[in-house]
Amino acid sequence: MNTTLGQFNPLAISFFAIFIATSLGITYWAAKQTKSTAHFYTAGGNISGFQNGLALAGDYMSAASFLGIAGLVALNGFDGLIYSIGFLVGWPVVMFLIAEPLRNLGKYTFIDVVAYRLRQKPVRISAAIGTLAVVVFYLIAQMVGAGNLIRLLFGMDYNLAVMIVGGVMLAYVIFGGMMATTWVQIIKAILLLSGTLLLAILVLAQFNFSPLNLFQAAADKYGAGVLAPGKLVSDPLDAISLGLSLMLGTAGLPHILMRFYTVRNAKAARTSVMYATIVIGFFYLLTFILGFGAMVLVGQDGIKKIDAGGNMAAPMLAQFLGGDAFLGFIAAVSFATILAVVAGLTLSGAATLSHDLWVNVVRHGATDETEEFRVARAATLLLGVLAIILGIVFQGENVAYMVGLAFAIAASCNFPALLMSMMWRGLTTIGAVSSMLAGTISSLVLIYLSPTIQVTILKHASAPFPLKNPGLISIPLAFAVGIIVSLLKSERLASERFAEVESRIHSEEVL
Amino acid sequence: MNERSRALTALANERWRISFWLTSAMLTIYFGFILLIAYNKPLLGYLIAPGLSLGILLGALVIVAAWVLIYIYIRWANTYYDKQLAKIRGDEQ
């Protein structure tokens, strides 16, 4: 099959230009309303539950899940589905354990909740280390992915692509803050969902609108093995470790958690997780169709010829079914997808730098509004420029593991401390700090010693640590360290103030 | 401890209990699926209908199970939890 991928595509560029123009228009409108730090971080808390549900979906569904999983399914069949399911199952955990108490106990970041009844400085510093590690690793993965994708999709130079993504994202966040970020994420979620839905309908139209006919066609072409588990999961412990990180990491991602402060109350936070889970689940079910559709209609050899990792399966499928116009639309949607995710990441990193570190650590909580607003924007600029530089530095490097690493740190540093701070009276400052540091450091050390780095990147014959993802060790370790250290020496003030936490879990005001 | 804060603590405990059971259910379903993939690949490759392997069906059902658990939680929260909270708040006045 011939493809115009990677060549200058005027239609793709036009769709893309329309998206950029619209989103910058929204940013201009949002900038006029973004007059205070509360507006900058949380859009003033005026986003509805439904809107926030869409924005959460837009914040979460990265290009890796759209293009990457469709490609994995196209090349590996059933094995690719393991990822799409893993990325969804964290959402119920967010709903049951995190969303509502988080909304009631915090103000701008999840660190507000961890630090609520503990000593501010040590908790904020150690939580900020974890948050910034998650944000930076996730940003590198997104930026390198963006550069590669845009080069493949539009035939644009890698460095230029990284700078455009960084520059447009900075415009959204610096001027429009959370308001612009939210609307970019909402529009992206709608575009992504309608694009995949349209693609799935066009695929199914070729198979009498029966997914089973499609799966059967895949089995006829590549053998029944594509419908069964294959080589991807060979070591059960590896699969469990990755599964734990994906599931609990979702509930510890700073850019996801921050979105719960954009709604009016806990009930709206509840509603937003419901809509997010419906949208994200539906999207991942559609990736079943997209992946197998690309496998049958485009063919594995054709997909691998353009990109060995299979990332171009969905765009190639779009071109096969709807010509250059549909390819252009899907390419623009992929670009929008990346922009929405990096904007959310950068904003949450900037909130931690300014709100947690500058205001609450450097200034002991005593700053005026103007100063915090200025620091927040400067922090955004800093992170955006850093993202562009890292994107360029890591060009051509294998960064796929960084998403897994970001989830592992989120699951090992952020999630245990956050959960214990809300549930367990006995948690002390030193306990929380040791837990977060243990989670972050063990994730980093274990991933360095794992086959992911030692074998895949450093080309050594074997690795000292057998698992590809550290979650199975680092998450229980973070909980154990937090509990043991807290039990060694109790903290009177922290346990006295727990009554306040118990009351505020239900409601923002102390009842 | 006055009566209201006792009621709030009781409600908090109840909330965590429900959350714990629903989270455990999600963990069991998901890791059950992963363990089947790891230990019983032939079973998941079994074709229930032409084109439909047990693995694909169960995979889709894991996503549906996430929706169902969320539905159960939302129902509990909207009907029971919110009312209890309103009742405790009402006692205040």
Side-chain angles (χ1 to χ4, degrees), chain A residues 94-132:
Chain A
V94 173
M95 173 72 113
F96 305 148
L97 298 176
I98 305 290
E100 295 172 52
L102 181 88
R103 171 65 191 80
N104 284 331
L105 281 161
K107 194 175 170 201
Y108 298 143
T109 65
F110 85 90
I111 301 177
D112 289 339
V113 179
V114 185
Y116 189 86
R117 65 191 162 101
L118 304 174
R119 293 207 305 281
Q120 297 288 318
K121 269 197 187 179
V123 171
R124 293 221 186 238
I125 292 172
S126 37
I129 294 171
T131 296
L132 292 172

Side-chain angles (χ1 to χ4, degrees), chain B residues 2-3 6-7 23 34 36 42 45-46 58 61 64 67 77 88 92-93:
Chain B
N2 62 29
E3 200 167 320
R6 242 197 308 276
T23 305
I34 294 286
L36 273 182
Y46 172 76
L58 288 180
L61 284 180
V64 174
W67 285 341
I88 296 171
E92 208 171 338
Q93 281 129 33

Side-chain angles (χ1 to χ4, degrees), chain A residues 26 50 58 131 177 197 256 258 261 269 279 351 402 459 462 503:
Chain A
I26 288 170
F50 177 63
T131 296
L197 188 61
I256 295 297
M258 188 182 183
Y261 299 119
V279 169
M402 287 190 185
K459 310 282 178 218
S462 67
S503 162

Side-chain angles (χ1 to χ4, degrees), chain A residues 96 100 216 227 233 270 507, chain B residues 19 41 51 53 73 78 89:
Chain A
F96 305 148
E100 295 172 52
Q216 186 59 50
L227 304 179
V233 177
R270 187 189 301 160
S507 164
Chain B
S19 302
K41 291 189 170 81
S53 66
Y73 175 81
N78 285 353
R89 273 186 179 157

Side-chain angles (χ1 to χ4, degrees), chain A residues 242-452:
Chain A
L242 175 71
L244 266 181
S245 287
L246 291 183
M247 198 172 189
L248 304 180
T250 302
L253 290 174
H255 63 300
I256 295 297
L257 298 177
M258 188 182 183
R259 289 223 54 89
F260 292 112
Y261 299 119
T262 64
V263 293
R264 198 163 299 123
N265 52 33
K267 195 166 169 136
R270 187 189 301 160
T271 317
S272 49
V273 190
M274 180 188 77
Y275 285 116
T277 315
I278 294 173
V279 169
I280 296 168
F282 191 57
F283 168 77
Y284 283 128
L285 283 174
L286 290 177
T287 58
F288 287 36
I289 309 289
L290 258 51
F292 282 106
M295 183 194 283
V296 175
L297 298 173
V298 183
Q300 294 186 337
D301 292 336
I303 296 169
K304 274 192 260 187
K305 212 159 63 191
I306 301 292
D307 178 64
N311 284 317
M312 288 302 118
M316 290 173 85
L317 181 65
Q319 190 179 30
F320 178 86
L321 292 165
D324 280 353
F326 200 28
L327 169 66
F329 176 68
I330 291 294
V333 169
S334 311
F335 207 151
T337 292
I338 296 167
L339 276 171
V341 174
V342 292
L345 280 167
T346 304
L347 183 56
S348 71
T352 285
L353 282 173
S354 53
H355 174 67
D356 293 313
L357 289 182
W358 181 262
V359 175
N360 282 297
V361 174
V362 178
R363 293 293 208 168
H364 313 282
T367 35
D368 61 84
E369 180 77 20
T370 335
E371 182 183 297
E372 184 170 5
F373 202 11
R374 210 176 294 142
V375 173
R377 284 177 158 169
T380 309
L381 186 63
L382 180 81
L383 276 173
V385 172
L386 184 71
I388 295 174
I389 293 172
L390 289 173
I392 291 171
V393 168
F394 280 91
Q395 177 180 11
E397 304 285 333
N398 181 349
V399 294
Y401 72 92
M402 287 190 185
V403 173
L405 176 59
F407 271 83
I409 298 176
S412 323
C413 170
N414 305 352
F415 176 74
L418 181 58
L419 190 66
M420 287 190 289
S421 73
M422 299 190 300
M423 287 190 81
W424 185 39
R425 182 186 300 273
L427 184 73
T428 65
T429 302
I430 307 170
V433 168
S434 340
S435 163
M436 290 188 282
L437 293 179
T440 309
I441 294 167
S442 63
S443 300
L444 287 170
V445 170
L446 290 177
I447 201 119
Y448 178 74
L449 298 175
S450 75
T452 315

